[in-house]
Amino acid sequence: MGQQDEGGMRALILVGGYGTRLRPLTLSRPKPLVEFANKPILLHQVEALVKVGVTEVILAVSYRAEQMEQELAEEAKKLGVKMIFSHEVEPLGTAGPIALAGEHLTKSDKPFFVLNSDIICDFPFKKLIDFHKSHGKEGTIVVTKVEEPSKYGVVVYDDNKCIGSFVEKPQEFISNKINAGLYVLNPSVIKRIELRPTSIEKEVFPNMAQDNELFAFELGGFWMDVGQPKDFLTGMCMYLKHLRTNEPDRLYNGPGVVGNVLVDPTAKIGKSCQIGPNVTIGPGVTIEDGVCIKRSTVLRGATIRSNTWLESCIIGWRCSVGQWVRMEGITVLGEDVIVKDETYINGGQVLPHKNIGDSVRTPQIIM
């Protein structure tokens, strides 16, 4: 074991639960493997970690880990990173998994990253680790600014970025900075955590703050928790805008494109379509002539037939959407759903392998 102690840094990603908020997609795939902007959510994180020298990623999982382990083993090999699965027998909250993975995280005295698996942002890990080392204390929380702090727990800190307290859903304005779900912690933090279901936000961080051991790192740029369909689409818009500024070559600029659009090279798009703004089209997707798609994600292998209109939709893998269909209002189709010609769906969440022939005018779950 000796040689591993030198190695690079480690990261723990909290994968945890059932992904219920992103159903019906998570009925077919574990949430971290659902593609966000044509790449599994988790891989956005892992690639960013590898760039700053993380060599071991521990995934805290409790559910359907086999499928994840198979797929991620291949990706890990490509990226040259070691992936370890830390299995919870009972859900351990947001701090318990750190204690459970303690043996891995304490192999070296280097600080380690902790991430919530639903978070998408521009992952400034290099600056984060430099900042953490500069203050020399036990922990750093990434914070992000929100418009409506009263919906969240806010983080209160001084001019030196030393965190003093956390306030749940403040009624009057105290701060507009919230915990962004990304941390850097020294291995000494593990001594503060018991191996039981426990919350890092409510039970561990407040004690660290009391001891002046916790600092805030302010995130510039975009941030979104993409764990539910509405936010998944909002996060996609932010991510595409970020690409426009930072890596414009990755965006698609074929005929009929409006605004920021990402298209896998294996997708086929017919004539006189309007694609965009804010659309992601996955591998092997077929879009026939005269289709209009705005603010939507179309996942691998789906077919959209001619003259169909989609806005604010997530179209699951291998779905088939007929001609002259209209779907809007955050409609999510699970895997392999067939929507018949001339159907209207407003805010439906359709379970996998269904056939839809009747219009759905009010948002509902279609079993």
Side-chain angles (χ1 to χ4, degrees):
M1 297 295 279
Q3 60 182 33
Q4 283 183 318
D5 296 348
E6 293 95 73
M9 293 179 67
R10 294 180 173 82
L12 175 72
I13 302 180
L14 302 171
V15 174
Y18 292 100
T20 46
R21 296 183 304 152
L22 202 52
R23 281 182 184 158
L25 298 172
T26 46
L27 297 171
S28 304
R29 273 171 94 65
K31 185 167 59 179
L33 296 182
V34 172
E35 296 90 343
F36 173 87
N38 287 351
K39 185 189 296 175
I41 297 173
L42 192 78
L43 283 187
H44 286 274
Q45 300 183 332
V46 173
E47 286 177 7
L49 288 165
V50 168
K51 275 195 185 125
V52 293
V54 167
T55 52
E56 198 170 283
V57 174
I58 299 131
L59 299 172
V61 293
S62 60
Y63 159 73
R64 281 184 48 199
E66 303 75 34
Q67 186 182 1
M68 237 177 336
E69 290 186 31
Q70 284 170 353
E71 292 200 28
L72 290 173
E74 292 169 37
E75 295 296 343
K77 215 191 261 156
K78 277 186 225 162
L79 290 167
V81 63
K82 183 174 176 191
M83 276 199 198
I84 295 172
F85 288 81
S86 175
H87 292 267
E88 303 174 7
V89 181
E90 56 166 346
L92 291 171
T94 49
I98 298 174
L100 186 65
E103 53 168 327
H104 303 295
L105 298 171
T106 50
K107 275 184 203 158
S108 82
D109 53 7
K110 289 187 176 142
F112 57 87
F113 294 98
V114 179
L115 286 75
N116 289 347
S117 67
D118 295 345
I119 301 302
I120 201 86
C121 64
D122 46 8
F123 302 123
F125 291 142
K126 176 79 178 82
K127 288 182 184 150
L128 175 58
I129 208 73
D130 291 346
F131 172 74
H132 178 77
K133 288 176 176 163
S134 74
H135 64 66
K137 299 291 189 173
E138 269 193 312
T140 303
I141 298 183
V142 177
V143 297
T144 184
K145 193 161 89 184
V146 288
E147 296 300 321
E148 291 182 66
S150 61
K151 286 180 11 191
Y152 300 91
V154 298
V155 184
V156 183
Y157 49 91
D158 66 17
D159 293 344
N160 299 323
K161 308 287 190 281
C162 181
I163 294 174
S165 64
F166 299 88
V167 182
E168 244 337 282
K169 305 195 170 154
Q171 288 317 294
E172 59 236 45
F173 187 87
I174 301 172
S175 154
N176 59 0
K177 300 294 196 306
I178 65 162
N179 174 345
L182 311 167
Y183 322 117
V184 178
L185 305 172
N186 292 348
S188 59
V189 168
I190 294 171
K191 296 193 193 73
R192 296 176 176 268
I193 303 170
E194 293 173 37
L195 183 49
R196 59 177 175 84
T198 166
S199 157
I200 197 165
E201 299 85 355
K202 294 192 171 71
E203 300 180 63
V204 181
F205 287 159
N207 294 335
M208 291 172 70
Q210 243 170 350
D211 299 342
N212 294 328
E213 285 289 342
L214 199 54
F215 277 68
F217 173 89
E218 294 177 355
L219 189 65
F222 73 105
W223 174 91
M224 200 71 206
D225 174 330
V226 295
Q228 52 190 337
K230 171 169 76 71
D231 299 335
F232 186 95
L233 290 171
T234 302
M236 178 194 69
C237 298
M238 292 176 172
Y239 178 78
L240 292 175
K241 184 179 169 191
H242 168 76
L243 284 186
R244 169 68 66 200
T245 311
N246 296 282
E247 301 177 69
D249 302 351
R250 286 181 50 199
L251 294 172
Y252 181 75
N253 50 15
V257 161
V258 181
N260 301 334
V261 174
L262 196 60
V263 177
D264 185 276
T266 61
K268 295 186 178 65
I269 298 176
K271 295 191 289 289
S272 37
C273 290
Q274 183 196 317
I275 310 292
N278 297 312
V279 170
T280 302
I281 292 174
V285 167
T286 303
I287 292 171
E288 293 187 354
D289 299 348
V291 168
C292 175
I293 306 181
K294 309 176 194 183
R295 202 171 181 274
S296 297
T297 286
V298 184
L299 295 171
R300 177 188 298 271
T303 301
I304 314 292
R305 304 218 177 276
S306 53
N307 303 311
T308 277
W309 192 94
L310 307 176
E311 180 165 11
S312 294
C313 295
I314 303 175
I315 307 298
W317 309 272
R318 305 198 329 279
C319 283
S320 174
V321 177
Q323 303 179 5
W324 298 100
V325 167
R326 182 178 176 118
M327 294 199 292
E328 60 191 345
I330 308 178
T331 287
V332 186
L333 304 186
E335 181 181 21
D336 177 40
V337 165
I338 296 174
V339 178
K340 306 257 172 78
D341 294 353
E342 298 176 35
T343 307
Y344 172 62
I345 302 181
N346 177 21
Q349 303 210 334
V350 185
L351 270 62
H353 316 298
K354 295 281 157 219
N355 277 6
I356 303 289
D358 297 324
S359 289
V360 179
R361 298 187 183 282
T362 51
Q364 56 186 277
I365 293 170
I366 297 145
M367 313 288 277

